Amino acid sequence: MEKFIPLTDLTNNSKAIKEPPLQSTFEKYEKKFKALADQKRLHILNLLCQQDSSCVCDLSELIDMPQSKLSYHLKILLDANLIQKETKGTWSYYTVNTEEINHLLSPELCCLFRPSNCC
């Protein structure tokens, strides 16, 4: 007999659920944590936190990485919604998505793994 831990699906505010609809919530966080599970991307985020915005050419010099490799890492961070991109002319400028970073560090995420009486 399998036992399921009752968890709350934060995507639609439903009551405790024993099986996937939580799947979409887990997939969302998996993408974000996979993006964070790389030292180069953590370094990029750290550099972006220290500046208002940066273009690839500036970041490339700061991190000593070719623009093609840097663009690859930026795309992963963008897809995880951890950074934002603003295009001005032919240049793209990147900033940290502070709302999303704060959300990852919030009690809301911890509620996925705490007993229901803690949230």
Side-chain angles (χ1 to χ4, degrees):
M1 177 180 204
E2 290 184 26
K3 291 187 177 182
F4 294 98
I5 298 171
L7 298 174
T8 303
D9 187 350
L10 300 175
T11 59
N12 63 13
N13 294 328
S14 64
K15 296 291 180 192
I17 298 174
K18 294 182 180 181
E19 295 182 41
L22 279 176
Q23 191 67 32
S24 63
T25 301
F26 292 154
E27 287 171 1
K28 179 179 89 171
Y29 285 113
E30 179 185 34
K31 186 177 237 183
K32 293 176 190 314
F33 285 113
K34 279 185 178 181
L36 291 171
D38 182 276
Q39 287 185 15
K40 291 176 180 104
R41 290 191 286 273
L42 289 170
H43 190 189
I44 293 166
L45 280 172
N46 180 262
L47 290 171
L48 288 173
C49 284
Q50 298 172 26
Q51 304 170 2
D52 288 334
S53 68
S54 289
C55 67
V56 176
C57 57
D58 292 338
L59 284 172
S60 182
E61 289 178 19
L62 291 171
I63 203 166
D64 193 31
M65 182 184 294
Q67 286 188 15
S68 59
K69 260 192 170 172
L70 179 58
S71 293
Y72 166 79
H73 290 291
L74 290 169
K75 171 89 169 90
I76 292 171
L77 292 169
L78 271 170
D79 289 346
N81 199 29
L82 298 173
I83 62 173
Q84 298 169 322
K85 178 172 101 171
E86 181 182 354
T87 303
K88 297 178 184 175
T90 58
W91 297 101
S92 293
Y93 292 87
Y94 296 89
T95 57
V96 171
N97 184 346
T98 53
E99 184 177 324
E100 194 63 36
I101 295 291
N102 290 338
H103 182 73
L104 282 176
L105 301 174
S106 75
E108 183 178 356
L109 176 63
C110 296
C111 285
L112 283 174
F113 304 105
R114 288 185 182 153
S116 59
N117 62 356
C118 290
C119 298

